[in-house]
């Protein structure tokens, strides 16, 4: 494996090396003079946006369940423990207060005295009885008597409120554990996007793959171009979002993601890259956000994976290395080559200019040099034909 710094190449087959692909028109859209820019979406899919100066914070409390689920794990575990401890302490205090008002703490050990709760003689024992009541442990040492109506009412209230607390807190933890965002960790996007010619048309391409044997059901993919824009009236729109068509009208955006797929965007009249040549694109600053969505086969929950490509991560004049091979009885995917690319002869003009050249017949039909078999004979083959003809 060899190549320039920052690029990954593989050793091509012999007939492709003999074709002497010209590299004068293959470029990486990466100007060393460009300063590093902030991403809108990180490579791992996290959105690099922070919400500040939010005045109406009460809106978070109106959807308390989602707020609890969105918290970090350490804060979620702290709140989970705190809610239960406070709940037990609160009802333990009420049980102790009933015992104090009835005089059970003073006369509990006297013969003939019927306490509200047997063997409850301190706040600690009231706290332990509260835990036993809410968790239905039932050790049998502390029990409520039938001659305590206020205790019976408190028992009902604690049982009902305890069930509500259990449902909410256990539900939050279950949803947090089973969040499908963890499933997105095994969905892969290529490190780079490439631009090259497919079927005499300029295309922007990137590769996606799924590492698990359980598949993403109803998988679909879409892409957005993020770049600042100024309108004709002079209005400046930061981080304007433009749709990139990757097969919405043809159904190619709906994927059967069993093996890695190369997602292709045809650069046509409706594409934001239609009039961009290599020279023009090198001056642009943009980000391409790709979003893969689908349902997890095991749970049926919706999963979304995201990634992005800066303008410096778009390779002009490259193609992806094949990763699928036919073995005995099955197909094998080599993920070692998942991110690998190789150079291919690609014109530096815009897709619009390329289409004009095709219409005018100015472009030779031998644009694609990567044919399955070379159409030229070697010197030894020609010599063999001449000897046979002479005989």
């Amino acid at each position: 494996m060899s190549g320039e710094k920052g690029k990954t190449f593989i050793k091509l087959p012999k007939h492709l090396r003999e074709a002497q692909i010209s590299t004068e028109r293959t470029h990486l859209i990466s100007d060393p003079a460009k300063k590093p820019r902030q991403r809108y979406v990180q490579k791992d899919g996290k959105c690099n946006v922070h919400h500040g100066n939010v005045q109406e914070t009460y809106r978070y409390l109106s959807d308390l369940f989602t707020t609890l689920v969105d918290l970090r794990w350490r804060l979620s575990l702290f709140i989970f423990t705190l809610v239960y401890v406070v709940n037990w302490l609160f009802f333990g205090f009420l049980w102790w207060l009933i015992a104090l008002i009835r005089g059970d703490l003073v006369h509990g050990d006297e013969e003939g005295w019927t306490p509200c709760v047997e063997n409850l003689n301190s706040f600690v024992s009231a706290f332990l009885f509260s835990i036993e009541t809410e968790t239905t442990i039932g050790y049998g040492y502390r029990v409520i008597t039938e001659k305590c109506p206020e205790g019976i009412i408190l028992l009902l209230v604690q049982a009902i409120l305890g069930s509500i607390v259990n449902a909410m807190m256990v539900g939050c933890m279950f949803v947090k554990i089973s969040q499908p965002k963890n499933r997105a960790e095994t969905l892969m996007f290529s490190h780079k996007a490439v631009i090259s010619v497919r079927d005499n048309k300029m295309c922007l391409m990137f590769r996606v793959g799924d590492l698990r044997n359980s598949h993403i059901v109803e998988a679909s993919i879409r892409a957005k171009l993020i770049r600042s824009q100024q309108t004709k009236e002079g209005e400046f729109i930061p981080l304007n979002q433009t749709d990139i068509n990757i097969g919405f009208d043809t159904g190619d955006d709906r994927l059967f993601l069993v093996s890695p797929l190369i997602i292709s965007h045809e650069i046509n009249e409706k594409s934001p890259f239609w009039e961009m040549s290599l020279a023009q694109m090198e001056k642009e600053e943009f980000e391409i956000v790709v979003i893969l969505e689908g349902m997890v086969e095991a749970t049926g929950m919706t999963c979304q994976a995201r990634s992005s490509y800066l303008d410096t991560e778009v390779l002009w004049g490259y193609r992806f290395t094949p990763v699928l091979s036919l073995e005995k009885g099955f197909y094998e995917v080599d993920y070692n080559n998942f991110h690998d690319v190789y150079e291919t002869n690609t014109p530096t003009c815009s897709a619009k200019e390329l289409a004009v050249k095709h219409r005018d017949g100015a472009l030779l039909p031998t644009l694609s040099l990567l044919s399955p078999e070379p159409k030229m004979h070697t010197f030894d083959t020609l010599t063999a034909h001449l000897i046979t003809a002479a005989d």
Side-chain angles (χ1 to χ4, degrees), residues 201 245-254 264-266 268:
K201 295 178 181 178
N245 188 355
I246 49 179
F248 177 77
D249 50 351
T250 60
D252 291 338
D253 62 328
R254 294 186 288 274
S264 176
H265 161 64
E266 180 183 329
N268 52 26

Side-chain angles (χ1 to χ4, degrees), residues 23 56 106 127 188 193 267 284 342:
T23 60
E56 300 176 347
V106 178
F127 175 68
M188 295 179 60
I267 304 178
E284 292 282 341
Y342 63 91

Side-chain angles (χ1 to χ4, degrees), residues 190-202:
S190 57
H191 291 160
K192 306 290 184 181
V194 299
I195 293 179
S196 61
V197 177
R198 264 190 174 185
D199 296 327
N200 294 332
K201 295 178 181 178
M202 296 287 286

Side-chain angles (χ1 to χ4, degrees), residues 24-296:
E24 295 180 358
R25 295 157 68 182
T26 56
H27 299 269
L28 167 63
I29 304 177
S30 178
D31 187 357
K34 284 187 176 182
K35 296 181 180 180
R37 297 188 295 109
Q38 285 287 356
R39 288 182 176 273
Y40 190 62
V41 176
Q42 300 289 349
K43 274 297 194 181
D44 58 1
K46 295 180 180 178
C47 297
N48 195 22
V49 177
H50 295 266
H51 301 282
N53 299 324
V54 179
Q55 302 296 330
E56 300 176 347
T57 54
Y58 66 89
R59 294 180 180 271
Y60 294 105
L61 297 178
S62 63
D63 187 12
L64 184 59
F65 185 84
T66 304
T67 302
L68 292 175
V69 172
D70 289 341
L71 293 176
R72 295 180 179 272
W73 265 109
R74 56 179 177 268
L75 191 55
S76 296
L77 292 175
F78 173 75
I79 293 177
F80 183 86
T81 305
L82 182 65
V83 168
Y84 275 108
V85 172
V86 169
N87 187 46
W88 295 334
L89 286 172
F90 173 72
F91 282 102
F93 172 77
L94 295 182
W95 287 114
W96 175 82
L97 186 62
I98 289 176
L100 179 65
I101 295 174
R102 286 174 55 89
D104 294 344
L105 300 179
V106 178
H107 306 287
D109 297 333
E110 297 179 2
E111 293 185 5
W113 183 268
T114 304
C116 183
V117 179
E118 293 183 357
N119 302 311
L120 194 153
N121 48 28
S122 65
F123 179 78
V124 176
S125 60
F127 175 68
L128 294 176
F129 179 72
S130 174
I131 297 177
E132 295 176 25
T133 300
E134 190 161 327
T135 57
T136 64
I137 294 176
Y139 290 120
Y141 183 68
R142 300 179 184 88
V143 293
I144 188 172
T145 61
E146 68 275 6
K147 295 183 178 181
C148 184
E150 60 271 25
I152 296 174
I153 294 175
L154 181 59
L155 179 65
L156 294 175
V157 173
Q158 185 174 6
I160 295 173
L161 292 182
S163 299
I164 296 175
V165 171
N166 287 335
M168 186 171 183
M169 300 311 299
V170 174
C172 286
M173 298 303 293
F174 175 77
V175 172
K176 194 169 183 64
I177 292 173
S178 61
Q179 275 185 320
K181 65 172 62 176
N182 297 326
R183 176 63 174 87
E185 297 296 329
T186 52
L187 296 175
M188 295 179 60
F189 295 90
S190 57
H191 291 160
K192 306 290 184 181
V194 299
I195 293 179
S196 61
V197 177
R198 264 190 174 185
D199 296 327
N200 294 332
K201 295 178 181 178
M202 296 287 286
C203 293
L204 170 71
M205 293 169 284
F206 58 92
R207 182 147 58 188
V208 298
D210 187 1
L211 297 178
R212 288 190 180 274
N213 291 326
S214 59
H215 309 306
I216 296 293
V217 182
E218 296 291 335
S220 62
I221 193 164
R222 50 196 172 97
K224 293 278 188 179
L225 176 66
I226 311 294
R227 63 175 174 176
S228 300
Q229 179 183 352
Q230 188 168 6
T231 64
K232 297 179 181 179
E233 294 78 16
E235 179 188 3
F236 180 74
I237 305 176
L239 301 177
N240 183 55
Q241 299 185 13
T242 305
D243 278 329
I244 298 177
N245 188 355
I246 49 179
F248 177 77
D249 50 351
T250 60
D252 291 338
D253 62 328
R254 294 186 288 274
L255 309 178
F256 182 51
L257 196 57
V258 177
S259 61
L261 299 175
I262 296 177
I263 309 302
S264 176
H265 161 64
E266 180 183 329
I267 304 178
N268 52 26
E269 296 87 347
K270 298 181 180 180
S271 171
F273 306 105
W274 174 240
E275 297 182 352
M276 285 190 190
S277 63
L278 172 60
Q280 293 171 328
M281 194 170 288
E282 287 177 340
K283 301 176 183 178
E284 292 282 341
E285 291 187 355
F286 60 86
E287 183 175 351
I288 300 171
V289 178
V290 292
I291 305 169
L292 176 62
E293 293 178 316
M295 291 188 299
V296 181

Side-chain angles (χ1 to χ4, degrees), residues 288-319:
I288 300 171
V289 178
V290 292
I291 305 169
L292 176 62
E293 293 178 316
M295 291 188 299
V296 181
E297 187 178 38
T299 63
M301 302 181 70
T302 303
C303 170
Q304 184 181 93
R306 298 179 294 267
S307 187
S308 70
Y309 303 97
L310 294 176
D311 51 279
T312 55
E313 296 172 338
V314 179
L315 307 178
W316 186 289
Y318 288 83
R319 291 177 183 166

